[in-house]
Amino acid sequence: MIEARDLSKRYGEVVAVDGVSFSVDRGEVVGFLGPNGAGKTTTMRMLTGFLPPTDGSAEIAGHDIFDDALAARRAIGYLPETPPLYPEMTVSSYVTFVARIKDVPRRARAEAVDRALERCALADVRSRVIGTLSKGFRQRVGLAQAIVHSPPVLILDEPTVGLDPIQIGEIRGLIAELAAGEGDDRHTIILSSHILAEVEAICRRVILINEGRKTVDASIDELTRDGKTLEGLFAQETARDTVAADSAAGGGGAS
Amino acid sequence: MRHISTIAARELRSLFVSPVAYVVMSLFSVLAGLFFVLGVAAFNSRVMQLRQFQATDMLATLNLNDHLIGYFFDSMSVVLLFLVPGVTMGLFSSEKSNGTQELLLTSPLTIWDIVLGKFTAGALFVTILVGLVAVFPGILFAYGDPEVGKTASGLLGVLLVCWTYVAIGCFASSITRSQVVGFLITFVLLLFLLLLPAIADLGVAGDAPQLGAALRWLSTGDHFQGLMRGLVDTSDMVYFAVIIGSFLLLTKAAVESVRWR
């Protein structure tokens, strides 16, 4: 469903993402893991077509993000780190607007909106103005806009950041539900997080990104087989790079 | 097309649930009314004066179109220069500060859908304002006999000038994330547009007559005045289309530039 080939993003001299490749099959739930500033958001933004990669290419549901951009974007539901909401709109008019710009056909629109609101438990607040909602509700509205056009691929950037434990539980439950559906309801999901427990709870596979590079790509079962923990791996992977960089710098100085 | 109207409808809705639309419309009605009453009073005293001096030949040349409606439309185009930036300042900048830009740019929309949708919303809103302007000459039709054609073409002039303001406002709003900065840039650009004829005259009188002529053509002034005199000239229509089109093109480039960085 998702094919990334050598995605790179450079800003002048700064390399934000450096040759990241991976592929995700239908129905998989993959966690993007990495410290802040590792390039998770940039990678997601390239997949969604918000930022063009400096190098490399990607395909979403068989559509190239460049050559077939509109079809690729139609196949994606995207929840950026801050949910893209218009505070002055009501919940249902906002989700209806998103359904329109995502090309949900007119006849199916009302039903699609109702379904998205239902799934995100927003039916009771549908006529409330978004600006008056709590953070947890706003996050759910963000999720509702991502799923309203039943996209095969969902890309969620830190979907639980800044929520309280109960809200986190709700959002996680919802994501698990979206991944478990049948037919059109079965979504392929990439979500980023720096909360390890979260990734462990929702995802079956982990891609670890550190300093713009993919360092680990394996299933959680594999990674934790010998009694190891994700914490250990995370610390080891992010630390090894620092040590390697330090020794490289030190070695350079000595010679 | 479908997407353009979706974007425009959303924008208009947001404008009308925020106080901006109502503040602009009510302030504008008050100002327009004030200018109109003052204009009618000035016209009246002029008529009285000429009667007193029995200047019948001058009285004969006095007419509502040239000596009242023309001035009124002229001042309206200046009043709107202050108000339109308030309407357009948030069109693009608020998408950036809200983070909704990311939604629009990752949806199956083209950049033109977004730019034209927003321009349409702004243009429709100022069309309502110009509709308010039209009320006042309407009153004159009830009590006097201004020329319909001249009044209509003058009104078209106000409308086209306002659409130009909106296009410039779109551009200014698209290059910043701050609404205040968007307002200020628009305002300065519009003032510059207003001053262009004066700058052009400097050139015409001085060493650069060609540059002067070019600047004159660029300013709305002559094209607006032509319409005010009742001349609906193709070249003036082309002028407005070119100016509006150029600023929309710049806006498109500015919106797209997120992708270049």
Side-chain angles (χ1 to χ4, degrees), chain A residues 64-144:
Chain A
D64 189 276
I65 52 165
F66 259 130
D67 301 332
D68 202 359
L70 297 189
R73 287 189 223 148
R74 225 169 268 137
I76 295 181
Y78 175 41
L79 174 62
E81 207 171 332
T82 36
L85 308 174
Y86 295 98
E88 70 279 1
M89 292 180 95
T90 63
V91 173
S92 65
S93 64
Y94 168 72
V95 178
T96 308
F97 166 71
V98 176
R100 283 212 177 99
I101 60 172
K102 302 278 184 186
D103 292 333
V104 177
R106 180 200 295 258
R107 249 178 292 154
R109 212 176 284 146
E111 206 195 316
V113 170
D114 285 345
R115 222 168 63 120
L117 293 181
E118 198 68 48
R119 289 200 99 159
C120 299
L122 289 165
D124 293 342
V125 296
R126 57 181 302 149
S127 28
R128 288 263 301 272
V129 173
I130 292 173
T132 66
L133 294 176
S134 69
K135 195 160 181 178
F137 270 115
R138 284 188 209 193
Q139 196 72 23
R140 279 196 245 164
V141 178
L143 211 51

Side-chain angles (χ1 to χ4, degrees), chain A residues 186-232:
Chain A
R186 191 168 161 85
H187 300 269
T188 306
I189 303 177
I190 294 187
L191 69 96
S192 77
S193 179
H194 49 248
I195 307 167
L196 300 166
E198 176 162 305
V199 171
E200 217 163 348
I202 315 175
C203 309
R204 262 152 282 168
R205 180 175 152 204
V206 170
I207 293 177
L208 198 141
I209 294 183
N210 191 30
E211 292 177 352
R213 283 168 204 268
K214 186 175 90 169
T215 53
V216 173
D217 182 352
S219 75
I220 294 201
D221 290 344
E222 250 172 82
L223 293 171
T224 54
R225 192 181 296 147
D226 310 323
K228 285 190 254 177
T229 58
L230 276 183
E231 278 88 350

Side-chain angles (χ1 to χ4, degrees), chain A residues 9 45 48-50 52 70 73-74 78 80 84-89 93-94 97 100-103 145, chain B residues 2-3 6-7 10 13-14 17 95 98-110 258-259 261:
Chain A
K9 184 74 190 171
R45 284 181 159 176
T48 56
F50 181 64
L70 297 189
R73 287 189 223 148
R74 225 169 268 137
Y78 175 41
L85 308 174
Y86 295 98
E88 70 279 1
M89 292 180 95
S93 64
Y94 168 72
F97 166 71
R100 283 212 177 99
I101 60 172
K102 302 278 184 186
D103 292 333
Q145 67 75 28
Chain B
R2 200 163 30 86
H3 284 146
T6 303
I7 301 270
R10 198 212 65 75
R13 250 170 111 157
S14 286
V17 295
E95 300 277 352
N98 273 345
T100 41
Q101 177 181 240
E102 216 161 327
L103 168 67
L104 296 183
L105 291 180
T106 56
S107 293
L109 301 170
T110 63
V258 193
R259 300 219 165 116
R261 270 168 243 157

Side-chain angles (χ1 to χ4, degrees), chain B residues 3 7 20-21 29 32 57 92 95 102 106 113 115-116 118 140-141 149 160 179 183 187 191 214 234 237 245 249 252:
Chain B
H3 284 146
I7 301 270
V20 178
S29 309
D57 43 340
F92 291 87
E95 300 277 352
E102 216 161 327
T106 56
D113 287 336
V115 171
L116 292 178
K118 300 224 165 221
L140 291 179
F141 278 100
L160 290 171
Q179 302 211 13
F183 180 90
F187 188 56
L191 275 182
T234 324
M237 298 299 122
L249 210 64
K252 186 214 169 214

